[in-house]
Amino acid sequence: MGDNMTGKKGLGRVDAKLLELLVCPVTKTRLVYDEAAQELVSEAARLAYPIRDGIPIMLPEEARQLPD
Amino acid sequence: MTEPHIIFDRALLARRRARAAAALNAGGFGADFLLREVAADFADRLAMIKRDFPIALDLGTHTGAVADTLAAAANIGAVIRADLCPDLVTGAPRPALACDEERLPFAPGALNLVTSALSLQWVNDLPGALAQIARGLAPDGLFLAALFGTETLRELRAALTLAETQLHGGASPRVAPFIELRDMGSLLQRAGLALPVADKDLIKVAYPTMFELLRDLRAMGATNVLVERARRPVTRRFFARAAEIYAERFARADGRIEATFEIVTATGWKPHESQQKPLAPGSARARLADALGTTEISTGEKAAPKTRRD
């Protein structure tokens, strides 16, 4: 695993290896990482999950609804 | 499939866990003793397993007691900390995320070990949550969980029910229904996990009065999250009466009251061809009759009474 998975580095940034393991909790489909917006976008669910302080918030109720 | 019956208010649970997190972050007073107990037990169990787990997930990590244990183990690589309540993982070592056990965000086969300590009893759809955990495990991945069992808080339940009946002429659910040990194995199997094993442990904790017990439960984020909980405001008189009943019925010799926690611990493995399993019928390479030193009688000609005539 990468350095960040040791849990000691990059406290403010999201762990790249962690992102590889994640899927949309609603549709179980792939996510697109929007680095600028700090969001994980699920096209299938039309939801954008926020990443706060390097922590993905994978809760549909906390996600931003994407415009259709 | 029918929708699972909604028993627990998950949004309320998240708020309770957030409040508990605030209490713990503000210095705490060790109310996570049960979690630490489970963490020590998990460490013992994992130490017996000679295998490497490159990626582990601690689901419902709460104070991180279990995750810290995993991180210290030599055969465990990365430890991902996850909780329903974002506040509980904000200050945690990374990698960490917020997620709901009822809607897991992990790719199939992404994980080698999933631990869950004292959080799955608040899930509405336990078979669904277990199936999602099984799906996230790689072949030969291990699931290790501890849940509150049916005996948990039996004294508190009795005291509250009796007090409510006496004061209001009826009782409403105040302590959650917990898992039966005997159900756990079949639930794991249903979720597609092999070699399921479950055992239970009773922990008795002494408190000066019921109020100290309730304070600990609040600090654990474990107070009533039942959807059907009474909306009637709870009066001071009600709690005072319940505390009296508790002290009358469940006092120890030293005058302190006793609270029971039953912890059901379960393990299951994601199936892999290297695991022990029964052989296919007819695949035997040695005859049982030879091993027993007897003569084999085929199923076509059953051992018959000597008097049989054709």
Side-chain angles (χ1 to χ4, degrees):
Chain A
M1 297 311 307
D3 280 348
N4 280 350
M5 282 297 246
T6 60
K8 292 184 181 74
K9 298 184 185 176
L11 211 65
R13 290 189 56 230
V14 71
D15 190 299
K17 292 284 181 187
L18 175 62
L19 292 187
E20 288 172 18
L21 307 177
L22 297 181
V23 294
C24 173
V26 180
T27 59
K28 311 290 186 199
T29 51
R30 63 188 285 270
L31 296 162
V32 177
Y33 176 37
D34 182 339
E35 194 169 357
Q38 282 297 296
E39 283 180 340
L40 290 169
V41 178
S42 169
E43 287 292 343
R46 305 298 297 158
L47 290 172
Y49 300 93
I51 299 174
R52 295 184 201 132
D53 294 328
I55 294 180
I57 310 295
M58 305 308 293
L59 303 167
E61 55 276 19
E62 300 267 331
R64 181 172 64 85
Q65 191 86 43
L66 296 180
D68 289 316
Chain B
M1 285 257 309
T2 52
E3 283 290 301
H5 188 57
I6 302 298
I7 306 170
F8 300 112
D9 185 336
R10 301 281 293 174
L12 180 66
L13 175 64
R15 292 202 296 279
R16 290 275 156 85
R17 285 178 88 92
R19 190 173 69 180
L24 286 160
N25 288 339
F29 38 79
D32 67 335
F33 62 93
L34 286 174
L35 197 61
R36 282 184 279 119
E37 189 106 8
V38 170
D41 178 58
F42 278 12
D44 288 348
R45 289 171 193 252
L46 288 166
M48 310 281 281
I49 299 168
K50 302 290 170 233
R51 181 164 318 197
D52 287 337
F53 299 103
I55 301 180
L57 167 70
D58 184 31
L59 195 54
T61 194
H62 209 190
T63 60
V66 170
D68 292 345
T69 300
L70 301 182
N75 58 336
I76 297 173
V79 179
I80 303 167
R81 297 163 193 252
D83 203 279
L84 174 65
C85 169
D87 291 354
L88 279 167
V89 284
T90 300
R94 307 297 197 262
L97 75 153
C99 72
D100 190 334
E101 287 102 334
E102 298 190 356
R103 281 177 162 179
L104 277 190
F106 289 92
L111 309 161
N112 306 107
L113 170 66
V114 176
T115 56
S116 167
L118 307 180
S119 87
L120 280 176
Q121 67 277 340
W122 310 127
V123 161
N124 288 301
D125 177 14
L126 185 56
L130 294 176
Q132 293 187 52
I133 289 166
R135 190 171 170 275
L137 281 171
D140 223 16
L142 173 65
F143 174 55
L144 170 58
L147 294 82
F148 284 127
T150 43
E151 288 288 292
T152 302
L153 297 176
R154 60 183 180 80
E155 305 90 349
L156 179 64
R157 242 178 312 191
L160 292 176
T161 303
L162 192 55
E164 192 165 11
T165 308
Q166 286 176 0
L167 296 179
H168 302 293
S172 49
R174 290 189 184 278
V175 177
F178 293 118
I179 188 88
E180 287 268 11
L181 174 69
R182 62 170 180 270
D183 295 336
M184 206 54 217
S186 55
L187 279 170
L188 292 173
Q189 225 151 12
R190 231 177 105 187
L193 292 170
L195 313 171
V197 177
D199 56 75
K200 68 174 180 179
D201 192 22
L202 287 183
I203 298 177
K204 307 263 188 190
V205 186
Y207 288 95
T209 73
M210 189 188 83
F211 296 103
E212 285 79 10
L213 167 63
L214 291 179
R215 187 199 62 186
D216 259 12
L217 294 177
R218 264 194 297 279
M220 290 180 216
T223 44
N224 201 347
V225 291
L226 299 179
V227 170
E228 313 259 325
R229 67 192 177 280
R231 305 286 176 167
R232 176 166 55 222
V234 190
T235 59
R236 197 176 284 260
R237 195 169 143 247
F238 165 69
F239 275 119
R241 182 68 197 120
E244 274 170 27
I245 294 169
Y246 204 130
E248 281 162 22
R249 294 192 156 202
F250 307 108
R252 308 188 318 170
D254 65 0
R256 288 153 70 87
I257 62 152
E258 194 165 76
T260 300
F261 294 92
E262 179 187 321
I263 300 195
V264 173
T265 305
T267 55
W269 293 85
K270 185 69 177 278
H272 183 262
E273 55 193 22
S274 70
Q275 286 164 3
Q276 49 176 310
K277 56 178 83 65
L279 294 169
S283 66
R285 293 203 202 131
R287 289 155 53 97
L288 180 62
D290 292 344
L292 297 174
T294 179
T295 325
E296 184 171 296
I297 301 166
S298 88
T299 47
E301 37 184 296
K302 291 250 164 34
K306 289 241 158 37
T307 53
R308 181 174 149 201
R309 275 168 301 187
D310 286 315

